[in-house]
Amino acid sequence: MPSKKVAWIEGEVTADVLINKLADEIANAKIPDTTNRWEKVFEVNEDKWVTYTKNSVANTQGTYKHTDGKTYQVYKLPDLRDLKAVSAGTPLVDKDGYIYETNGYGNTKTGKKIQVNEFVYTDEEGNEITLSVPGLLVVNVNEDDPTNTVGKKCYVLQQGKYELDGVTFTPSSEWNEYRLITQLPSDWNDLIEKKQWTVYYYGSASSYWTYVNASPYTFGMVKYTANPVHFYDRTVVLKTVPDVPTGEASNVYYVMLKHPTGQYNYVDVYYGKEFTGKNPSGSSADTYSRACDIRTVIHGKVPNIINQKEAELQYRKWNNPDEENKYNPPQEAWALDYDEKVEIKSPPSHFFYGADSVVSWVPNKKRRPDYWVEYNISVSNDRVAIVIVGDPSPDMDAYYNSFAYIGKTIPFADYDQKGNFGITVGMGDLTKEKSGFLPSDIKQDSNQTYSGWGRYTSNGMYSFSMLQTRSSVYFQAYYPAFITQLPNYSGVGTIPPELSKMVLEKNGFQMSKWTKRYHASPIYLVHQFEGYRGYLDSVVAIEDHNLINKDELVVDTEEPKDPQNPEAGNWTEVYKFFKTNTPVNFFKYSPNPTDSTIAILKEVY
């Protein structure tokens, strides 16, 4: 058998669920004469949730809203139990705990007095309760009192909050809510209305007045603020165990497909070691549906809180490790490197299939979630080769034929199994207008995401990213090498005059007149230190002149199906040809960056 048998799958799906469909197709592929070892081990659709921060707003003015619908200033009563006249030192609190208002220089009492020690009232259950006056919170409300002519009643307040049921009241010094306890006896309503009383005059060489008042109540009020909205991207993780030669240990690899929230031009591909994931539990909507204005719950934005008590409830749930009825977001983790800090997980490789519109008359230039994406997948237990193509509408140039290779390569050394797994994907234009990326966004020397494993860290787009080199360096860049005629290097460089005649005429190049066949080449992988390591499995490089996208190339392997029965014929391979056109792909750093493309094994019969 010249090549491992493969499953070939074609189809289309809307962009919003592309990774789910790809994962299902790969995991459910019927690979001839073997058991499919690709397995979907984690799948979470995109989700969002809100967390909160508890703050204190200093010097908040205490205000009480009465049953008449009006809001009143809250006051805090001072401690006047030991009040003495200024300079004279005369005690001003009588034996019953009263201080009297005076009028004029003769200290004439006006008949009004305030209790400054304590008083007793009867609660709703008939119990007698003693309240100490100093520190009481009080309010004057617009109610007539037959005992005075102020037109106000002074009530004692209890500070706290009404719970979400609107009935239960919980005492607290953090909330600007209050309930009435009882009416405050004596003439505090008169004092608060006047703002200040004169209670004693002392005349000598200088004149001294002693005053009393109640200060407006201020406090540190609790306020919950929302943090920027948390998002978890739609994510699928596949696990596979490639074939290994007899005597070699099997290896498990994980590949993650992530669909960035709100992005419909590409998906991100990661791979690495020992992935573990935990699905979410509870309702993410509970974290914001009643606390926030839902219209403001937007990716990366800070939502507006419309209900502080709901925000407090969610804050307490989130910060209570024993709370069972709360939302727990998805979790993912990878094996850690020897430092027990860094995850063995590749940088993201952006697998593009579409671009934003550049047509001036298109109002919404972003790609839609319901655009169709075509996919072509070749699956073996060792690797997956994929070509995806976005719907070109409304721009005929706003899409890509994009190639990805995920998995093991065919090594030159049989013992090369442990780190022999990698990826490369096709990426879109490096312009903000079409793809949102600039060259600096994916270069090692300008984006630390792509330099975490050294100066030759692969981004999986310009190069082929391999899990480990022979010396166990992770995620290093390998480059393709293959047999090709001299390319023209248009836009790449200048060909020396001595070589210019070796450039074939583009319009004339076709199949061989000698063999009547198109000739392809294995795609070898080369490392700047290791040299040649192996080649891609059942994917070849081929010149695309005079070939039509999706042409099928039939290969007579000249290898008999049954050496004992020549009449059984030879094995035949069928390759599917694709005119890939992503501006960024690993062919750009190859012997032929402009004119070569790929053909993928479709079937063997």
Side-chain angles (χ1 to χ4, degrees):
M1 181 68 186
S3 299
K4 294 180 180 179
K5 289 193 174 182
V6 297
W8 183 263
I9 305 153
E10 298 178 0
E12 62 178 356
V13 68
T14 53
D16 54 344
V17 292
L18 173 61
I19 64 171
N20 304 81
K21 187 66 172 178
L22 291 179
D24 287 340
E25 296 283 30
I26 293 169
N28 297 324
K30 305 299 182 183
I31 304 175
D33 300 328
T34 188
T35 299
N36 184 348
R37 291 196 297 275
W38 287 92
E39 178 186 357
K40 184 169 63 175
V41 295
F42 184 71
E43 182 173 26
V44 176
N45 292 335
E46 65 182 45
D47 209 352
K48 61 183 177 182
W49 64 97
V50 177
T51 58
Y52 303 86
T53 299
K54 183 179 180 180
N55 304 284
S56 180
V57 182
N59 299 316
T60 299
Q61 188 85 35
T63 55
Y64 163 74
K65 188 173 183 179
H66 195 45
T67 53
D68 61 6
K70 295 180 180 180
T71 299
Y72 298 92
Q73 170 70 60
V74 177
Y75 294 87
K76 185 174 182 178
L77 299 188
D79 187 351
L80 301 174
R81 290 173 294 185
D82 296 320
L83 183 67
K84 296 179 180 179
V86 176
S87 296
T90 305
L92 298 180
V93 181
D94 72 6
K95 63 181 180 61
D96 295 320
Y98 289 98
I99 293 176
Y100 295 83
E101 181 188 37
T102 60
N103 184 21
Y105 296 97
N107 291 321
T108 304
K109 294 181 179 179
T110 65
K112 297 184 181 299
K113 61 183 179 180
I114 55 174
Q115 173 60 240
V116 298
N117 284 346
E118 62 184 25
F119 68 95
V120 178
Y121 77 97
T122 303
D123 66 12
E124 295 177 353
E125 286 77 32
N127 303 311
E128 289 191 345
I129 307 295
T130 300
L131 286 180
S132 178
V133 172
L136 285 180
L137 301 182
V138 300
V139 64
N140 263 8
V141 298
N142 294 334
E143 291 181 2
D144 291 332
D145 187 342
T147 64
N148 63 66
T149 58
V150 176
K152 305 278 186 179
K153 282 186 178 180
C154 186
Y155 286 100
V156 177
L157 299 174
Q158 184 179 36
Q159 185 180 12
K161 71 165 182 173
Y162 285 95
E163 300 294 346
L164 291 170
D165 60 11
V167 176
T168 305
F169 187 85
T170 302
S172 171
S173 60
E174 296 181 323
W175 292 82
N176 203 9
E177 294 184 359
Y178 310 85
R179 69 171 180 174
L180 298 183
I181 301 300
T182 186
Q183 186 175 351
L184 184 64
S186 68
D187 296 301
W188 278 101
N189 58 342
D190 183 79
L191 169 60
I192 292 173
E193 181 67 13
K194 292 177 179 176
K195 307 298 183 187
Q196 179 176 275
W197 269 7
T198 302
V199 294
Y200 196 80
Y201 167 76
Y202 173 69
S204 61
S206 299
S207 297
Y208 298 93
W209 295 91
T210 302
Y211 303 103
V212 294
N213 55 50
S215 302
Y217 174 56
T218 60
F219 66 102
M221 183 183 70
V222 67
K223 182 177 182 180
Y224 291 90
T225 55
N227 299 314
V229 176
H230 302 274
F231 262 80
Y232 189 81
D233 296 329
R234 183 182 295 267
T235 302
V236 180
V237 178
L238 292 163
K239 180 181 80 171
T240 187
V241 184
D243 291 326
V244 294
T246 302
E248 294 291 332
S250 298
N251 297 282
V252 180
Y253 302 99
Y254 294 87
V255 178
M256 173 184 282
L257 306 178
K258 270 189 178 289
H259 195 150
T261 301
Q263 172 58 252
Y264 302 107
N265 283 331
Y266 66 90
V267 298
D268 280 334
V269 183
Y270 304 79
Y271 74 108
K273 284 186 173 183
E274 299 178 27
F275 171 86
T276 56
K278 186 176 181 180
N279 282 25
S281 62
S283 171
S284 59
D286 286 349
T287 66
Y288 58 82
S289 60
R290 292 177 293 275
C292 302
D293 181 347
I294 295 180
R295 296 170 299 179
T296 67
V297 182
I298 301 170
H299 186 198
K301 303 293 185 180
V302 176
N304 296 331
I305 294 180
I306 57 175
N307 189 320
Q308 281 285 314
K309 292 172 186 174
E310 286 287 354
E312 181 195 40
L313 174 63
Q314 296 305 321
Y315 173 84
R316 292 185 182 277
K317 282 185 175 183
W318 185 264
N319 290 280
N320 180 4
D322 299 323
E323 174 65 47
E324 296 181 356
N325 184 27
K326 69 177 180 180
Y327 174 68
N328 294 291
Q331 297 178 23
E332 59 182 63
W334 300 76
L336 299 180
D337 201 7
Y338 73 96
D339 62 358
E340 298 185 354
K341 296 179 181 179
V342 179
E343 289 186 319
I344 303 176
K345 170 189 174 185
S346 71
S349 298
H350 310 306
F351 189 17
F352 265 75
Y353 53 86
D356 291 341
S357 174
V358 293
V359 175
S360 59
W361 45 262
V362 176
N364 185 359
K365 299 184 182 300
K366 299 291 185 181
R367 196 168 192 84
R368 295 173 54 89
D370 54 356
Y371 276 172
W372 287 94
V373 181
E374 174 192 302
Y375 56 84
N376 301 267
I377 312 173
S378 173
V379 183
S380 76
N381 280 324
D382 285 351
R383 63 94 184 104
V384 176
I386 308 172
V387 174
I388 55 176
V389 186
D391 185 337
S393 299
D395 288 6
M396 287 305 293
D397 61 349
Y399 72 103
Y400 305 104
N401 282 7
S402 191
F403 167 70
Y405 184 103
I406 302 170
K408 179 184 171 183
T409 65
I410 298 176
F412 291 139
D414 285 344
Y415 62 83
D416 180 12
Q417 305 297 327
K418 181 180 178 182
N420 182 1
F421 195 91
I423 65 168
T424 191
V425 303
M427 186 187 174
D429 293 72
L430 290 177
T431 64
K432 287 291 185 183
E433 185 182 27
K434 295 191 73 172
S435 68
F437 288 93
L438 294 174
S440 59
D441 295 323
I442 64 168
K443 289 293 186 68
Q444 293 91 335
D445 57 356
S446 53
N447 185 344
Q448 63 180 6
T449 300
Y450 297 104
S451 60
W453 301 93
R455 64 185 298 182
Y456 296 111
T457 302
S458 173
N459 60 24
M461 295 171 279
Y462 272 132
S463 57
F464 191 98
S465 171
M466 287 288 272
L467 180 63
Q468 288 175 272
T469 65
R470 186 171 181 272
S471 55
S472 294
V473 181
Y474 288 107
F475 308 117
Q476 296 300 286
Y478 287 71
Y479 297 97
F482 46 87
I483 301 168
T484 179
Q485 71 275 5
L486 185 68
N488 193 31
Y489 288 112
S490 175
V492 178
T494 302
I495 298 175
E498 296 82 1
L499 299 179
S500 62
K501 293 186 181 300
M502 294 180 65
V503 178
L504 301 183
E505 289 288 344
K506 183 173 182 179
N507 293 330
F509 184 69
Q510 54 191 315
M511 71 174 65
S512 168
K513 293 295 185 181
W514 300 91
T515 65
K516 305 301 182 185
R517 296 178 180 179
Y518 286 94
H519 288 264
S521 168
I523 302 175
Y524 302 99
L525 294 178
V526 187
H527 184 262
Q528 70 272 8
F529 176 75
E530 292 185 337
Y532 285 78
R533 180 168 181 173
Y535 54 96
L536 298 190
D537 183 357
S538 304
V539 176
V540 296
I542 188 169
E543 195 78 11
D544 66 358
H545 298 321
N546 296 320
L547 286 172
I548 298 173
N549 189 49
K550 296 187 180 180
D551 271 351
E552 294 193 356
L553 309 177
V554 180
V555 179
D556 180 359
T557 67
E558 299 181 359
E559 182 174 339
K561 294 181 179 179
D562 183 358
Q564 306 302 320
N565 181 16
E567 293 183 359
N570 296 334
W571 287 107
T572 300
E573 295 178 324
V574 179
Y575 282 78
K576 194 90 166 179
F577 166 76
F578 292 94
K579 284 183 176 287
T580 57
N581 67 344
T582 49
V584 178
N585 63 67
F586 79 143
F587 269 5
K588 299 302 182 183
Y589 279 48
S590 79
N592 194 338
T594 56
D595 298 330
S596 282
T597 184
I598 52 99
I600 304 170
L601 182 64
K602 178 182 178 184
E603 61 177 320
V604 181
Y605 63 86

